[in-house]
Amino acid sequence: MDVIAVEPQQLRTFVTVARLGSFSEAARELGYTQSAVSQQIAALEADLGTALLHRRPVGPTGAGARLLEHASALLLRIDAARADIARLAGAASARLTVGATPLAVGVELGRALAEVRRAYPVVDLTVRVVAQDALPAEVAAGTVDLALVDGPAAPSDPLPLPDVGPLATAAVAEQPLAVALPTGHPLAGRPGLALADLSAAHWLDAPGLAPTAARLRAATAVDGFRPAARYLGTDVRGLLALVAAGHGLALLPAAAVAGAPGVAAVPVGAPRLVHRTELVHGALPEGPAALLARLLTAEGADRV
């Protein structure tokens, strides 16, 4: 299948039709006429030499399903290339959009943004809280100018991030990690805990805030860490309320647990892990985004 010859707009149209299961709904979403959508799909099928969509009902053929597996990565790379060239060729924008994971929005970011606003009083500032897995792609595509991501890592090791384009990363902070558990838990008074010893415990699956079971298994090389309940919010107080009520444990930066009612924070003794925050960005022309990056990484040099 020669996907190199595929036109990006045809591919976007195909993905939209397959997602909505309707040519007319895809036309409405994309702002085309239905005949224009049909023509794009027909041209794409002609280029690739095979049918990609069943018409009644609308759905991907076997070849269409395979193309869908490639489509997201192809379109992301195209968007990333456009955004990267625009950053290199363009002047600094008067707008600044910062992406951050829930636990990365903290005092350091607030202080740095205050400095940016003093230097650029009319900057149009937006801070978007986004799940970590989505943030690198948003930076690559130019949806956000730069982002703060976080997660567990060995001391001084970079975070594992998806390869979505030519992005740079820099350390901003490293903090101690702790297991959050109810104050009445038998292990609450321990000076430290080995995560591997907790593989059979009840854990809370909170992908927006805490490491997933898969990441815990990878960090400890031990099977287990089966979630007892899911928390799909981004408010750490809500997660800690579930911990206090005995619904499961969570691995969080110790500072996020401190002072939470009914919750004890027990340091992680093994493996050696920290809660690491990193800055992710593409090319940054001089302006608000570049200044913010310098401020965050300058502070980070003192905290890593």
Side-chain angles (χ1 to χ4, degrees):
M1 185 180 294
D2 185 9
V3 295
I4 297 176
V6 172
E7 293 186 12
Q9 192 53 58
Q10 293 175 351
L11 187 59
R12 291 186 198 280
T13 300
F14 165 68
V15 170
T16 305
V17 173
R19 172 170 55 84
L20 296 175
S22 168
F23 280 73
S24 59
E25 290 296 321
R28 188 174 297 110
E29 180 172 305
L30 294 169
Y32 299 145
T33 64
Q34 185 170 336
S35 63
V37 169
S38 298
Q39 289 169 10
Q40 288 191 42
I41 297 300
L44 180 59
E45 291 177 325
D47 284 344
L48 296 180
T50 186
L52 299 172
L53 290 168
H54 299 295
R55 269 35 179 199
R56 295 178 184 230
V58 175
T61 63
R66 182 59 60 87
L67 181 58
L68 284 172
E69 294 176 6
H70 296 281
S72 295
L74 288 170
L75 291 173
L76 174 59
R77 281 290 186 171
I78 291 168
D79 289 342
R82 286 175 174 162
D84 202 37
I85 296 303
R87 283 189 292 258
L88 287 169
S93 171
R95 295 183 178 180
L96 174 60
T97 302
V98 182
T101 51
L103 291 174
V105 180
V107 175
E108 294 83 5
L109 177 59
R111 281 200 301 259
L113 286 173
E115 290 291 326
V116 171
R117 301 196 78 167
R118 277 192 282 272
Y120 297 91
V122 297
V123 66
D124 183 0
L125 172 65
T126 301
V127 178
R128 293 183 54 211
V129 178
V130 182
Q132 176 176 318
D133 291 345
L135 269 175
E138 296 218 16
V139 176
T143 309
V144 300
D145 297 304
L146 68 179
L148 288 170
V149 299
D150 68 295
S156 300
D157 277 3
L159 293 172
L161 298 176
D163 179 15
V164 292
L167 300 179
T169 62
V172 172
E174 287 185 355
Q175 304 174 55
L177 273 170
V179 178
L181 36 72
T183 52
H185 195 284
L187 301 177
R190 293 284 187 89
L193 290 170
L195 285 181
D197 294 341
L198 299 172
S199 61
H202 288 171
W203 286 83
L204 283 164
D205 182 21
L209 290 168
T212 62
R215 292 192 70 177
L216 291 173
R217 288 193 289 268
T220 59
V222 173
D223 195 15
F225 302 99
R226 307 301 176 196
R230 289 177 63 79
Y231 179 74
L232 300 181
T234 57
D235 184 355
V236 70
R237 294 171 298 180
L239 176 62
L240 291 173
L242 293 179
V243 172
H247 292 286
L249 312 183
L251 184 65
L252 294 166
V257 186
V263 180
V266 180
V268 175
R272 289 191 64 215
L273 293 173
V274 294
H275 182 83
R276 182 176 173 91
T277 302
E278 289 184 354
L279 179 70
V280 181
H281 63 86
L284 294 175
E286 189 56 42
L291 175 57
L292 179 61
R294 287 197 298 271
L295 291 168
L296 289 171
T297 53
E299 289 189 12
D302 297 328
R303 294 193 299 273
V304 177

